[in-house]
Amino acid sequence: MRRPGFAMVIAETDGLRGCAFGFPVGSDGSWWLGFDGALPRSVAQLTVSANAFEFADILIPPHPHDPDLARRVQERLLTDHQASLGVTLVDRADRPTLAALRSWGWLEIGELRRPAGTTTFRALVLPFGDRTTARLAGLVTIPGGGGPSGA
C-alpha cells in the first residue's frame, strides 16, 4: 500500500490467523466528509489532535481457542501509532461485519456517505485507553441494526 503511515499487524502461530491494517487519520478532518449530522466533539478533538487511526480492514475469523485475538491485533495497531481512537466505515447493509465489530468493542456514532459515492456507511469508533473511553462514554450508539431507516 502506498499511503503515508500504512501499517499492518499479522497474527500467526503455525499459520496465518488473521491481520488488520490501516493508516493514521489526517488531522484536517477530511476523513469525516459526508458525515450525517454533527460529529461528536470528542471524536473531532481526537481527530484534530492526530490521535485517530483508520482501520481499512480487519481480517480475523473467529478463533475458539483465542477469542481475544481480534482485540489484541487492533490494540497493537493503535499502540504502535500512539492512537487513542480507531475509526472505520462499514456498509450499513453488512450486518455480519457490524456484529463482529460491535462484539470487539466498536461503537456506532452515525452514518457517512462519501461525496462521490452512493453507499451509505456506518461510522464506528474504537476507543483505546482509559482516558479516551471516559471521553467517549456519552456517545450514543445505534442499537441492533438501527439507524434512521431501521435498516
Side-chain angles (χ1 to χ4, degrees), residues 7 11 45 50 59-60 64 78-79 96 105 112 119 133 143:
Q45 289 172 342
L59 305 166
I60 301 177
L78 293 172
T79 298
L112 184 145
T119 303
T133 302

Side-chain angles (χ1 to χ4, degrees), residues 36-125:
D36 185 22
L39 186 65
R41 183 181 308 191
S42 53
V43 172
Q45 289 172 342
L46 288 166
T47 301
V48 169
S49 63
N51 285 310
F53 185 85
E54 171 191 356
F55 282 82
D57 216 335
I58 304 166
L59 305 166
I60 301 177
H63 292 283
H65 300 297
D66 193 355
D68 289 333
L69 179 63
R71 180 190 52 78
R72 290 195 326 269
V73 166
Q74 293 168 85
E75 287 178 359
R76 175 65 185 263
L77 272 174
L78 293 172
T79 298
D80 288 353
H81 282 272
Q82 299 177 349
S84 50
L85 184 70
V87 300
T88 196
L89 299 175
V90 177
D91 184 320
R92 73 177 184 184
D94 188 350
R95 293 177 190 266
T97 299
L98 288 166
L101 290 170
R102 286 186 198 117
S103 75
W104 297 335
W106 289 80
L107 305 170
E108 291 184 48
I109 61 168
E111 293 187 341
L112 184 145
R113 182 176 296 181
R114 294 288 184 214
T118 58
T119 303
T120 299
F121 296 97
R122 299 277 171 94
L124 292 93
V125 296

